[in-house]
Amino acid sequence: MALLKPPPSLSLPQPHLPKLSPTLNSSSCLHFITSSSHSPFTEKHSTIRYKRDSWVFKNQLDSPSSCPVPPDSSSIRDHDIALQLPELKKMLEVLREKRERNGGGESGERKVGDVYLVGTGPGDPELLTMKAMRVIQSADLLLYDRLVSNDVLELVGNNARLLYVGKTAGYHSRTQEEIHELLLCFAEAGATVVRLKGGDPLVFGRGGEEMDFLQQQGIQVKVIPGITAASGIAAELGIPLTHRGVANSVRFLTGHSQKGGTDPLFVAENAADPDSTLVVYMGLSTLPSLVMKLMHHGLPHDTPAAAVERGTTPQQRIVFAEIKDLADSIASAQLISPTLIIIGKVVALSPLWPCSSKDASTLAEARQI
């Protein structure tokens, strides 16, 4: 193993709960989580998340109260939504009034806002496209995921409103249906709505589902692609996803299991092709099972592999190992989500790969083909 550290109305749940005070202090009803390693992303109950979205809790800031909320994910989620709803509805009313003043009322032509699905890349803000930058800075409301980096969110325009809708294992701040409803309601009110997603919105980002839902409601959606994690992180490590004589194709695979277990959703037999590169998203929990199946289907046990935590950010960590040792090496390094896994002979082309003599001869032969 090699571990490297390179430099109309919102159709949302409205639980009948006591009125709470989301003040940003230690006695707050919001349950903050602090981390010893500063995350480049928005963690689910971090202080930075609540400060960034403080506008949506505005109606509660001056109403101190006791906090009977048990610190479990479902209770915290329900309380967050209950606190946010009044301010979200107020914003909707302001947008509707503005639309009517501009000639888009009931007597005029229905003016619908623009909806953008924007990919922000794997974390490094310098990987944003110019088009993404322009849209991010002109939005009225931005719904952002967990894996949109804090550095990217610093680029949002001063007048925009940010709302966290991220998902992590065991905690969805908003369900997918609730996200759909938010996008629809604000678009119908005439807002410029941006849905910010890490990587590319149409690669394991559920952007296709959001686009399909809105189009069925008559809302046009514009997609601005981002650099997907596979491309951005592979480039950071100097790994060509395809290479003449080494890998003639690349396959992207989700490591998520169908019901949250330890088995991957599927592993097609041809995913074990030694002449292809396999990139696994969200695969930490299912990796041991995935590796066993790949080797069972014929992938050589000494196939090079890399696991990259928080790729392209200052907190990036990398584990290199042969596939037979990969799961143990990741466990030993205690890598956490998000971690991207790249499996294939091309990994040995990285200048960071701790080459053996066998690797060197293999690469020399490939370059001569």
Side-chain angles (χ1 to χ4, degrees):
M1 176 189 78
L3 175 62
L4 306 180
K5 295 183 181 178
S9 62
L10 291 174
S11 300
L12 298 174
Q14 302 187 51
H16 300 287
L17 300 171
K19 191 174 184 180
L20 305 176
S21 171
T23 52
L24 300 175
N25 55 47
S26 59
S27 62
S28 172
C29 296
L30 303 178
H31 296 267
F32 300 128
I33 293 177
T34 56
S35 173
S36 56
S37 61
H38 298 290
S39 174
F41 305 111
T42 302
E43 300 307 325
K44 55 187 176 182
H45 302 305
S46 61
T47 305
I48 192 170
R49 171 200 162 183
Y50 288 103
K51 286 184 177 179
R52 183 178 288 135
D53 299 355
S54 61
W55 70 275
V56 84
F57 298 114
K58 184 178 178 181
N59 65 305
Q60 298 287 332
L61 289 176
D62 299 320
S63 305
S65 65
S66 61
C67 185
V69 186
D72 65 84
S73 293
S74 60
S75 296
I76 295 170
R77 187 193 105 90
D78 287 346
H79 278 283
D80 274 358
I81 291 174
L83 293 172
Q84 292 169 11
L85 282 171
E87 204 63 30
L88 287 171
K89 290 180 178 179
K90 186 186 298 183
M91 184 180 178
L92 271 175
E93 290 305 315
V94 169
L95 289 167
R96 288 180 182 132
E97 290 174 7
K98 179 180 177 182
R99 182 187 62 187
E100 291 171 5
R101 286 197 305 269
N102 294 335
E106 293 180 2
S107 59
E109 182 184 352
R110 177 174 177 250
K111 290 189 176 180
V112 177
D114 295 316
V115 177
Y116 296 89
L117 301 183
V118 178
T120 62
D124 182 351
E126 293 187 349
L127 295 178
L128 278 174
T129 66
M130 294 177 66
K131 194 170 187 178
M133 275 285 294
R134 175 176 59 80
V135 170
I136 286 172
Q137 293 180 339
S138 63
D140 295 313
L141 177 68
L142 300 101
L143 309 182
Y144 67 100
D145 280 348
R146 177 202 168 207
L147 297 184
V148 178
S149 71
N150 293 319
D151 287 341
V152 169
L153 292 170
E154 290 296 322
L155 303 173
V156 170
N158 293 332
N159 296 323
R161 296 287 184 265
L162 282 156
L163 181 64
Y164 179 72
V165 294
K167 302 186 184 85
T168 55
Y171 179 80
H172 290 189
S173 64
R174 298 278 177 172
T175 66
Q176 193 60 45
E177 291 72 23
E178 290 165 351
I179 294 170
H180 290 171
E181 191 68 26
L182 281 164
L183 292 169
L184 176 63
C185 287
F186 280 94
E188 289 185 333
T192 298
V193 187
V194 171
R195 177 76 169 97
L196 287 181
K197 294 175 176 290
D200 183 272
L202 302 184
V203 179
F204 297 127
R206 303 190 75 168
E209 296 176 38
E210 293 167 4
M211 183 168 56
D212 181 58
F213 170 81
L214 291 169
Q215 287 174 343
Q216 289 186 35
Q217 310 303 316
I219 307 292
Q220 183 180 359
V221 180
K222 301 170 186 176
V223 180
I224 299 178
I227 295 178
T228 189
S231 296
I233 293 172
E236 181 83 4
L237 273 59
I239 297 174
L241 293 176
T242 61
H243 188 87
R244 188 177 59 156
V246 181
N248 54 29
S249 65
V250 59
R251 176 189 294 266
F252 296 166
L253 179 70
T254 173
H256 273 176
S257 62
Q258 197 163 19
K259 296 182 179 178
T262 57
D263 268 344
L265 181 60
F266 69 91
V267 179
E269 186 171 350
N270 59 0
D273 180 4
D275 296 321
S276 181
T277 304
L278 184 62
V279 182
V280 185
Y281 290 70
M282 305 164 287
L284 280 181
S285 63
T286 60
L287 182 68
S289 177
L290 173 64
V291 166
M292 289 182 62
K293 290 184 177 183
L294 289 173
M295 291 191 298
H296 173 75
H297 285 304
L299 193 68
H301 292 206
D302 60 354
T303 299
V308 190
E309 174 195 301
R310 300 169 173 180
T312 77
T313 73
Q315 293 80 10
Q316 173 176 285
R317 294 197 300 153
I318 311 164
V319 165
F320 285 108
E322 294 180 343
I323 189 174
K324 68 179 187 302
D325 303 317
L326 183 60
D328 288 342
S329 298
I330 289 174
S332 177
Q334 297 182 332
L335 297 191
I336 61 173
S337 174
T339 291
L340 188 82
I341 298 160
I342 306 175
I343 299 170
K345 291 182 289 187
V346 292
V347 173
L349 292 166
S350 169
L352 303 175
W353 174 257
C355 291
S356 66
S357 57
K358 181 181 70 172
D359 296 326
S361 62
T362 300
L363 298 183
E365 290 173 5
R367 288 169 177 150
Q368 290 172 4
I369 295 176

